[in-house]
Amino acid sequence: MHDFHYQGSQLHVEGMSVAALARKYGTPLYIYSQATLTRRHRELNQAMAPVEHLVCFAVKSNSNQSVLRLLAGLGSGFDIVSGGELQRVLAAGGDPRRCVFAGVGKTEAEIQFALQQGVYSFNVESEPELQRINAVARRLKKIAPVAVRLNPNVDARTHAKITTGTYENKFGVAFEEIPGVYGRAARLPHLRLRGVQMHIGSQLTEVAPFAQAVKKVAPLVAQLQARHGIEFFSIGGGIGIVYRDALASGQPAWWRGAGKKFITPQQYAAALLPALRSLGVKILMEPGRYISGNAGILVTRVEYVKRTGHKNFVIVDGAMNDLIRPAFYDAYHEIVPVTKLGGARIASDVVGPVCESGDYFCQDRPLPRVREGDYLALLSAGAYGFVMASNYNTRALAAEVMVHGRKAALVRARQPIPAIWSGETVAPWLK
Ligand code: LLP
């Protein structure tokens, strides 16, 4: 997280003081670094430059309009999973012809909308879906570009809830069944078999499973190209990022010395390019977390410090409804004080106000002693942070700020409380 660092005692995002932003916009507050987003996108593009490729940013990881506009401006494609995400991309000025539409449950309305917008490809997850896309395309007198998502049955060695490439989960079509599925799909007149796709999981911290999957699938890709003339192979997303000691990642030597597991774009490219190059097809990637994860933080204010006989609870104004990853995946997010604090550390549970025992950001973690009114930053919160937020406990969706050097802009206003129930009505017989 090069762009997140202390200047003196103050945490900064690029040239902006986090405390000043928190005072101005209130908390809980998401802050994104434009420089990090840009660098990550460029680094991956550069590493993959030896092959014709397209980076399709996984919109599900962070769909703020400013984030999408920035990436669209860098020439990015987008990996979308709903009609809603396609509308967001269009609203942000993204190019539908650079969009791939994934997901196991596409509705007819979504398929129709995506066809009318001219997406690059539907990444199809089942044979019934192929039939449905063919039927919608027939009705619209169009030819739908499709790729089937193949499940390589490779263990991504990541968290069970974010492993997708084994036969234990709902995604894709089994590797062995792919030739038959393409053979049948080729007979559906309103489909064009444009590519093949896979995605083995998220937050992978080693390149080996990626390399194993590519190696396993490459001969099949060559076969599909020869038989059906496919033009692309999407190798999915999943490149993991550093969550522990994330601030120190600005100092590569120290970071490597500490034996942290992470993947650089150079390692990723080095491991995959040899097999990909010889295929001679266009390579698509669908990174989400790699681009947005280390680009964002969630800033929260300490409301109370509650010491019990057993615990030191730091009760903050952010909660699981703002960032669900710790509660949902037991995910680790580094927590640092926005104004540096000295002194001894104390084992602390940082918890939110939501009425759930699972509403914690960390448990028994040695943290500096904080006081009411202090700000804390949860690092690496740019991916699967705001996008997974909810209104649970009638808590407003947080505000979001984009930083660019010494400039900052509010890119999503804090949700006004009455907006939370604005779509609700009282049933007429209750009036
Ligand atoms: N492509 C496909 C088909 C996917 O299913 C996903 C993520 C991606 C690309 C992007 O993966 P990434 O590069 O971001 O790892 N909410 C979870 C992560 C869920 C990932 C779902 N699929 C978390 O907070 O860790």
Side-chain angles (χ1 to χ4, degrees):
M1 299 183 72
H2 302 57
D3 304 297
F4 299 76
H5 48 83
Y6 286 101
Q7 272 179 30
S9 65
Q10 291 300 317
L11 183 65
H12 278 63
V13 176
E14 302 187 29
M16 297 298 291
S17 149
V18 172
L21 292 173
R23 279 192 294 271
K24 180 163 182 192
Y25 297 109
T27 50
L29 180 69
Y30 277 96
I31 306 177
Y32 307 123
S33 159
Q34 179 165 326
T36 305
L37 289 161
T38 306
R39 180 180 318 110
R40 289 289 170 99
H41 199 271
R42 288 213 170 118
E43 278 176 0
L44 194 54
N45 263 311
Q46 278 160 8
M48 296 299 283
V51 288
E52 188 193 351
H53 70 275
L54 178 64
V55 173
C56 295
F57 174 66
V59 174
K60 66 173 88 72
S61 73
N62 188 320
S63 56
N64 182 279
Q65 287 287 293
S66 281
V67 172
L68 300 184
R69 170 66 66 105
L70 170 73
L71 296 175
L74 296 175
S76 192
F78 296 96
D79 166 34
I80 55 168
V81 292
S82 69
E85 284 193 351
L86 179 53
Q87 289 187 49
R88 268 187 181 279
V89 168
L90 296 173
D95 184 351
R97 290 163 307 174
R98 288 169 173 251
C99 284
V100 287
F101 187 0
V104 298
K106 301 175 193 78
T107 66
E108 285 197 15
E110 287 178 318
I111 293 167
Q112 176 169 334
F113 178 58
L115 257 176
Q116 285 164 337
Q117 295 302 322
V119 295
Y120 179 66
S121 179
F122 289 88
N123 289 342
V124 177
E125 306 248 8
S126 66
E127 289 209 74
E129 187 190 329
L130 283 170
Q131 301 277 357
R132 181 180 279 190
I133 294 173
N134 183 60
V136 176
R138 184 193 313 122
R139 186 155 45 75
L140 297 178
K141 300 190 173 58
K142 285 185 179 288
I143 302 291
V146 297
V148 176
R149 174 171 179 173
L150 75 80
N151 185 333
N153 199 24
V154 166
D155 183 2
R157 287 180 253 161
T158 180
H159 191 284
K161 280 196 180 147
I162 50 178
T163 292
T164 52
T166 75
Y167 290 167
E168 293 302 309
N169 52 60
K170 68 180 176 185
F171 298 104
V173 170
F175 179 77
E176 296 77 9
E177 292 168 23
I178 287 287
V181 171
Y182 273 75
R184 289 187 288 281
R187 293 198 283 275
L188 297 175
H190 288 270
L191 299 186
R192 167 180 171 201
L193 297 174
R194 189 168 224 173
V196 61
Q197 192 262 2
M198 70 174 184
H199 172 78
I200 59 175
S202 201
Q203 182 55 17
L204 273 72
T205 52
E206 316 163 82
V207 289
F210 286 121
Q212 198 188 334
V214 165
K215 198 172 156 213
K216 178 168 177 183
V217 171
L220 180 59
V221 176
Q223 184 191 323
L224 294 174
Q225 190 196 15
R227 280 198 197 149
H228 302 290
I230 64 164
E231 68 180 36
F232 79 87
F233 174 27
S234 173
I235 56 177
I239 305 175
I241 60 164
V242 168
Y243 281 101
R244 272 173 208 271
D245 296 323
L247 269 192
S249 64
Q251 302 153 28
W254 187 96
W255 189 29
R256 265 180 233 129
K260 304 277 175 317
K261 274 201 186 171
F262 65 100
I263 297 175
T264 66
Q266 293 74 21
Q267 288 167 339
Y268 181 77
L272 305 186
L273 281 178
L276 295 178
R277 223 186 205 151
S278 56
L279 288 173
V281 294
K282 182 170 175 173
I283 302 302
L284 265 58
M285 285 157 284
E286 303 162 3
R289 190 187 323 259
Y290 174 73
I291 290 170
S292 59
N294 289 144
I297 59 175
L298 173 62
V299 186
T300 185
R301 179 180 185 273
V302 176
E303 293 294 330
Y304 300 97
V305 178
K306 175 174 170 177
R307 300 207 63 170
T308 67
H310 299 283
K311 291 269 198 181
N312 185 51
F313 288 109
V314 176
I315 303 170
V316 296
D317 66 355
M320 64 188 286
N321 75 295
D322 301 301
L323 176 67
I324 202 173
R325 303 193 69 259
F328 200 32
Y329 313 109
D330 267 320
Y332 184 99
H333 284 266
E334 202 65 58
I335 302 178
V336 299
V338 166
T339 301
K340 248 186 193 169
L341 293 168
R345 295 182 166 230
I346 174 168
S348 306
D349 285 26
V350 177
V351 303
V354 165
C355 299
E356 299 265 357
S357 310
D359 181 26
Y360 57 80
F361 289 137
C362 70
Q363 290 180 302
D364 294 318
R365 192 181 299 176
L367 290 178
R369 280 180 195 274
V370 294
R371 288 198 312 229
E372 183 182 327
D374 287 348
Y375 292 121
L376 293 174
L378 285 102
L379 308 182
S380 311
Y384 308 107
F386 182 88
V387 286
M388 292 179 83
S390 77
N391 286 129
Y392 190 36
N393 282 205
T394 305
R395 289 170 48 83
L397 296 178
E400 295 173 285
V401 163
M402 175 75 90
V403 170
H404 176 41
R406 291 178 172 277
K407 287 189 282 206
L410 185 66
V411 294
R412 180 178 179 113
R414 187 173 307 285
Q415 188 180 31
I417 296 286
I420 300 174
W421 62 84
S422 63
E424 300 173 23
T425 46
V426 175
W429 60 87
L430 295 173
K431 280 185 180 159

Coordinates of all heavy atoms in Angstrom, one line a residue, residues 58 60 79 149 162 197 199 202-203 237-239 286-289 325 329 384 388, ligand 1:
A58 N -13.1 -6.8 -12.1 CA -14.3 -7.4 -11.5 C -15.0 -6.3 -10.7 O -14.7 -5.9 -9.6 CB -13.9 -8.6 -10.6
K60 N -17.7 -6.4 -9.1 CA -18.2 -6.8 -7.8 C -17.3 -6.4 -6.7 O -17.8 -6.2 -5.6 CB -18.5 -8.3 -7.8 CG -17.3 -9.1 -7.9 CD -17.6 -10.6 -7.7 CE -18.0 -11.3 -8.9 NZ -16.8 -11.6 -9.9
D79 N -15.6 -7.1 -15.8 CA -16.3 -8.4 -15.5 C -17.5 -8.1 -14.7 O -17.4 -7.6 -13.6 CB -15.3 -9.3 -14.8 CG -15.9 -10.5 -14.1 OD1 -16.9 -11.0 -14.7 OD2 -15.5 -10.9 -13.0
R149 N -17.9 -21.3 -18.9 CA -17.0 -21.3 -17.8 C -16.7 -22.7 -17.5 O -17.6 -23.5 -17.1 CB -17.6 -20.6 -16.6 CG -16.8 -20.7 -15.3 CD -17.3 -19.9 -14.2 NE -16.5 -20.0 -13.1 CZ -16.7 -19.3 -12.0 NH1 -17.7 -18.4 -12.0 NH2 -16.0 -19.4 -10.9
I162 N -14.5 -18.8 -0.7 CA -14.1 -18.2 -2.0 C -13.3 -19.1 -2.9 O -12.6 -18.6 -3.8 CB -13.4 -16.8 -1.7 CG1 -12.2 -17.0 -0.7 CG2 -14.3 -15.8 -1.2 CD1 -11.4 -15.7 -0.5
Q197 N -13.7 -19.8 -20.5 CA -13.4 -19.0 -19.3 C -13.2 -20.0 -18.1 O -13.8 -21.0 -18.1 CB -14.5 -18.0 -19.0 CG -14.2 -17.0 -18.0 CD -14.7 -17.3 -16.6 OE1 -15.3 -18.4 -16.4 NE2 -14.5 -16.4 -15.6
H199 N -12.2 -19.7 -13.6 CA -11.8 -18.9 -12.4 C -11.8 -19.9 -11.2 O -12.8 -20.6 -11.0 CB -12.9 -17.8 -12.1 CG -12.7 -17.1 -10.8 ND1 -11.8 -16.1 -10.7 CD2 -13.3 -17.2 -9.6 CE1 -11.8 -15.6 -9.4 NE2 -12.8 -16.3 -8.8
S202 N -10.5 -17.0 -5.2 CA -10.1 -15.6 -4.9 C -9.1 -15.6 -3.8 O -9.0 -16.5 -2.9 CB -11.4 -14.9 -4.5 OG -11.3 -13.5 -4.6
Q203 N -8.3 -14.5 -3.7 CA -7.3 -14.3 -2.7 C -6.3 -15.5 -2.7 O -6.0 -16.1 -1.6 CB -7.9 -14.1 -1.3 CG -7.0 -13.8 -0.1 CD -6.0 -12.7 -0.4 OE1 -6.2 -11.9 -1.2 NE2 -4.9 -12.7 0.4
G237 N -10.0 -14.2 -12.3 CA -9.4 -13.3 -11.3 C -8.7 -14.1 -10.2 O -8.3 -15.2 -10.5
G238 N -8.6 -13.5 -9.1 CA -8.2 -14.3 -7.9 C -6.8 -14.0 -7.4 O -6.4 -14.5 -6.3
I239 N -6.1 -13.0 -8.0 CA -4.7 -12.7 -7.5 C -4.9 -12.1 -6.1 O -5.6 -11.2 -5.9 CB -4.0 -11.7 -8.4 CG1 -3.9 -12.2 -9.8 CG2 -2.6 -11.4 -7.8 CD1 -3.3 -11.2 -10.8
E286 N -9.7 -11.3 -15.0 CA -10.8 -10.6 -14.3 C -10.4 -10.3 -12.9 O -11.0 -10.7 -11.9 CB -12.0 -11.6 -14.3 CG -12.4 -12.1 -15.7 CD -13.3 -13.3 -15.6 OE1 -13.6 -13.8 -14.5 OE2 -13.7 -13.8 -16.7
P287 N -9.4 -9.5 -12.7 CA -8.9 -9.2 -11.3 C -9.9 -8.2 -10.7 O -10.3 -7.2 -11.3 CB -7.5 -8.6 -11.5 CG -7.6 -7.9 -12.9 CD -8.5 -8.8 -13.7
G288 N -10.2 -8.4 -9.4 CA -10.9 -7.4 -8.7 C -10.1 -6.9 -7.5 O -9.5 -5.9 -7.5
R289 N -9.9 -7.8 -6.6 CA -9.2 -7.5 -5.3 C -7.8 -7.0 -5.6 O -7.3 -6.0 -5.0 CB -9.0 -8.8 -4.5 CG -8.5 -8.6 -3.1 CD -8.3 -9.9 -2.4 NE -9.2 -10.9 -2.7 CZ -10.2 -11.3 -1.9 NH1 -10.4 -10.7 -0.7 NH2 -11.1 -12.2 -2.2
R325 N -16.3 -8.5 5.9 CA -15.3 -9.6 5.7 C -14.8 -10.3 7.0 O -14.7 -11.5 7.1 CB -14.1 -9.1 4.9 CG -14.6 -8.5 3.5 CD -13.4 -8.3 2.6 NE -12.9 -9.5 2.1 CZ -11.8 -10.1 2.6 NH1 -11.0 -9.4 3.5 NH2 -11.3 -11.2 2.2
Y329 N -15.8 -14.1 6.8 CA -14.8 -15.0 6.4 C -13.7 -15.1 7.4 O -12.6 -15.7 7.1 CB -14.1 -14.5 5.1 CG -14.9 -14.1 4.0 CD1 -15.1 -12.8 3.6 CD2 -15.6 -15.0 3.2 CE1 -15.8 -12.4 2.6 CE2 -16.4 -14.6 2.2 CZ -16.5 -13.3 1.9 OH -17.3 -12.9 0.8
Y384 N -14.5 -5.7 -1.9 CA -15.5 -6.4 -1.1 C -15.7 -5.7 0.2 O -15.9 -6.4 1.2 CB -15.1 -7.9 -1.0 CG -14.8 -8.5 -2.3 CD1 -13.5 -8.8 -2.7 CD2 -15.8 -8.7 -3.2 CE1 -13.2 -9.4 -3.9 CE2 -15.5 -9.3 -4.5 CZ -14.2 -9.6 -4.8 OH -13.9 -10.1 -6.1
M388 N -20.3 -4.8 -0.2 CA -21.0 -5.8 0.5 C -21.7 -5.2 1.7 O -22.3 -5.9 2.6 CB -20.0 -6.9 1.0 CG -19.5 -7.7 -0.1 SD -18.3 -9.0 0.4 CE -19.5 -10.3 0.9
Ligands
LLP1 N1 -14.1 -13.7 -11.9 C1 -15.0 -14.5 -11.3 C2 -15.7 -15.4 -12.2 C3 -15.3 -14.4 -10.0 O1 -16.2 -15.2 -9.4 C4 -14.6 -13.5 -9.2 C5 -14.8 -13.3 -7.7 C6 -13.6 -12.7 -9.8 C7 -13.4 -12.8 -11.2 C8 -12.8 -11.7 -9.1 O2 -12.0 -12.3 -8.1 P1 -10.8 -11.4 -7.4 O3 -9.8 -11.1 -8.4 O4 -11.4 -10.2 -6.8 O5 -10.3 -12.4 -6.4 N2 -16.4 -11.4 -1.1 C9 -15.2 -12.3 -1.1 C10 -14.6 -12.6 -2.5 C11 -15.7 -13.2 -3.4 C12 -15.1 -13.4 -4.8 C13 -16.2 -13.8 -5.8 N3 -15.7 -14.0 -7.1 C14 -14.1 -11.6 -0.2 O6 -14.4 -10.6 0.4 O7 -13.0 -12.2 0.0

